Amino acid sequence: MLRGFLVIFLLCTIAIIAVFGFRGQKSTGSPLEIFPDMVRQMKVRAQAPLNFFADGRGSRLPVGGTVPIGYEMPKPETTTSLAAAVGPYTHPRAGFSAGTDYYNTGKMGDHWGTGIPVAVTRELMERGQQRFNITCAMCHGAAAEGNGITKQYGLATVVSLQDERIRKMSDGEIFNTITNGKNTMMAYGPNVIIADRWAIIAYLRALQRNQNAAIADVPEEHRPELEKK
Ligand code: HEC
């Protein structure tokens, strides 16, 4: 009994001295690396010199024409009527630049604003249709009824944009949903330039209207054609 205690006491003493006893002593030897993981790598360090390149610098200049996120998109060389009408390229604040005004945030003061802050033309709608079909339709469906292809693959939470709630939602809030996402919908701000977001909203409004149209929306002279069908 006593011997057992003595052995344990001795082992504890050795362990305590091993852990705490020699602290503070510096060693000039390299530390023991049991698992070096990826501590030392052959890589270029930012801002550090490197002999590999002729100019002796490790850092490289960005490729010509690189546009940093948050800056203006380059203007196309030919200004087509589409670009002129749509405005993404001609608008002085095109691209991803983030101001604090309605055009950039969808907010008027502390509240969501409403209205399309660019001229709504046929070109804008066509642009919106194209962008909607590329960016939104696979989830929300071509008619925005929440029945895109992803539904069949398990994305069950996609909402119908034909819902009363979304039809009544302000343009600014929809702009914000596109920009920053919502719950399970990811943000499309980094993919869709601001002018295109507004084009999408304009087109979405048209979709909402054509799925909820009343006979009164049809000009009188065209109503007989509808009745025939
Ligand atoms: C990857 C699938 C996906 C894509 C692409 C997508 N959405 Fe969504 N969207 C969702 C889901 C899922 C929800 C429901 C989010 C939730 O749980 O509230 C949603 C919700 C919304 C809502 C309602 C937000 C609210 O406040 O309830 C709007 C408006 C919307 N999306 C617009 C768009 C537009 C416009 C685009 C194209 C730029 C787009 N979405 C692209 C999946 C998607």
Side-chain angles (χ1 to χ4, degrees):
M1 178 69 192
L2 187 67
R3 256 179 73 177
F5 171 76
L6 279 176
V7 168
I8 291 171
F9 182 75
L10 197 72
L11 287 177
C12 284
T13 314
I14 292 172
I16 289 171
I17 292 174
V19 174
F20 296 109
F22 301 108
R23 295 190 104 195
Q25 289 200 358
K26 285 187 186 144
S27 159
T28 48
S30 49
L32 205 63
E33 268 176 24
I34 297 167
F35 298 110
D37 291 330
M38 296 201 288
V39 172
R40 259 159 289 286
Q41 298 167 33
M42 294 285 289
K43 67 173 182 189
V44 180
R45 288 182 193 277
Q47 312 292 341
L50 190 76
N51 291 331
F52 183 79
F53 296 108
D55 62 1
R57 293 188 292 183
S59 305
R60 302 284 83 204
L61 291 172
V63 178
T66 303
V67 182
I69 284 180
Y71 285 73
E72 307 294 296
M73 297 294 278
K75 293 184 175 49
E77 281 167 16
T78 51
T79 310
T80 62
S81 68
L82 172 69
V86 172
Y89 312 108
T90 49
H91 198 287
R93 296 161 301 161
F96 301 99
S97 47
T100 54
D101 57 348
Y102 178 61
Y103 178 78
N104 282 286
T105 62
K107 271 192 167 181
M108 291 177 178
D110 288 341
H111 300 279
W112 300 123
T114 209
I116 307 291
V118 287
V120 179
T121 57
R122 191 186 171 88
E123 281 80 3
L124 184 93
M125 297 299 268
E126 279 168 358
R127 176 85 183 168
Q129 177 180 41
Q130 186 206 42
R131 296 290 118 181
F132 182 90
N133 287 338
I134 292 171
T135 326
C136 320
M138 77 293 264
C139 290
H140 289 288
E145 290 172 311
N147 55 357
I149 185 78
T150 55
K151 199 134 200 177
Q152 292 169 27
Y153 291 91
L155 196 63
T157 54
V158 178
V159 293
S160 166
L161 304 181
Q162 298 291 353
D163 274 1
E164 177 92 3
R165 187 174 66 86
I166 313 291
R167 276 192 285 136
K168 287 193 172 148
M169 187 175 275
S170 60
D171 297 329
E173 189 170 354
I174 295 179
F175 178 88
N176 183 63
T177 299
I178 301 176
T179 310
N180 299 313
K182 176 108 189 206
N183 302 333
T184 40
M185 175 177 150
M186 63 176 266
Y188 285 86
N191 299 13
V192 181
I193 64 171
I194 294 175
D196 283 346
R197 286 174 230 165
W198 289 114
I200 287 173
I201 296 170
Y203 177 68
L204 173 62
R205 290 310 193 198
L207 279 183
Q208 289 175 334
R209 185 135 185 227
N210 74 23
Q211 298 299 303
N212 290 281
I215 195 74
D217 292 324
V218 182
E220 206 143 354
E221 68 269 24
H222 291 299
R223 283 180 205 170
E225 295 165 32
L226 282 177
E227 275 148 21
K228 264 186 258 151
K229 283 180 192 157

